[in-house]
Amino acid sequence: MDVLLLKLGGSLITDKAREETPRREVIDRLAGEIARAMTGASCRLVVAHGSGSFGHVAARRHGIGQGPLSPDQIAGASRTQERAAALHQIVVAALVTAGALPFSLAPSSCVVAAAGQPLAVATEPLLLALRHGLLPVLYGDVVLDRDWGAAICSTERLFRALAPRLQACGLFIRGVLWLGETDGLWDAAGRTVQRVSADTFAGALQAIGAPAGTDVTGGMRHRLETAMELARLGIPSLLANGLTPGLLERALRGEAVTGTEVI
């Protein structure tokens, strides 16, 4: 089975400068592009999305994901999980309305972490969803952590943990499409970097500025680091602009689109 991994960035589907503000028009358009592109497609798709101004704001407020939790912070882990799930329901509802067949998979129910890193991942529900023609949809979430009590599992960490496990199950991962609100990665002069390889990775990383809005996982820096780790597994990535109408649909159909390749 051929699989493509897709992340809808939190800065794309929410206004990260305004607490709990979904970009519903963007979410609805992206859901429609996914539904149209995957009709009759030979490649299966796994979708994940960031938590944007929902989960990130709650996590920052309650200090989740920075280390071991105090007893007073446990309630904050519950609140952060609930806020991340609230955005997730908006995304899943849009996919249903668009005619896709989303099947929600909460990382909080299938991932266990240790010191902030995913350690155990239950992949069978995802594999069964793919086998039955459903669209697995995951998201950045709070997960239980053996050392910290609870931690943040970003979609980047989720893809990094899932990829080798899916490969071991016989799936061929064609690539990862990361959609944000810029035309890929910018250099110091504000121009789109066409390609990042192992030789240019360090320089590309240095050119990345601080994330816009509230972000507890590292923004573009975290994304590029993960994309390079996946590239070392033989999985290429493309960082592209989800605000461009039609770009996602064209990319899912295998057409060339503007962005930054990571190989």
Side-chain angles (χ1 to χ4, degrees), residues 50-177:
S51 286
S53 60
F54 285 71
H56 282 276
V57 171
R60 174 66 57 81
R61 179 173 296 137
H62 298 289
I64 310 301
Q66 306 305 310
L69 299 185
S70 69
D72 293 339
Q73 289 176 298
I74 293 298
S78 176
R79 177 62 175 169
T80 303
Q81 182 200 39
E82 187 272 333
R83 288 293 80 202
L87 176 60
H88 181 61
Q89 289 304 312
I90 294 172
V91 174
V92 171
L95 287 164
V96 170
T97 299
L101 299 175
F103 192 84
S104 172
L105 295 171
S108 52
S109 297
C110 62
V111 176
V112 172
Q117 298 298 320
L119 182 67
V121 183
T123 58
E124 187 174 6
L126 189 152
L127 294 170
L128 288 172
L130 289 173
R131 184 182 303 168
H132 293 296
L134 295 168
L135 175 67
V137 186
L138 306 102
Y139 58 103
D141 199 1
V142 177
V143 299
L144 295 175
D145 189 293
R146 294 177 181 176
D147 301 313
W148 292 357
I152 300 298
C153 181
S154 66
T155 47
E156 283 80 4
R157 285 178 180 153
L158 188 61
F159 279 173
R160 179 62 183 86
L162 275 173
R165 290 169 170 84
L166 296 181
Q167 289 176 321
C169 291
L171 275 65
F172 174 71
I173 303 176
R174 288 188 182 180
V176 187
L177 178 59

Side-chain angles (χ1 to χ4, degrees), residues 162-202:
L162 275 173
R165 290 169 170 84
L166 296 181
Q167 289 176 321
C169 291
L171 275 65
F172 174 71
I173 303 176
R174 288 188 182 180
V176 187
L177 178 59
W178 309 86
L179 290 190
E181 54 180 351
T182 64
D183 294 328
L185 178 68
W186 290 345
D187 62 18
R191 298 168 299 199
T192 298
V193 176
Q194 299 299 312
R195 177 175 291 178
V196 176
S197 65
D199 293 337
T200 61
F201 172 69

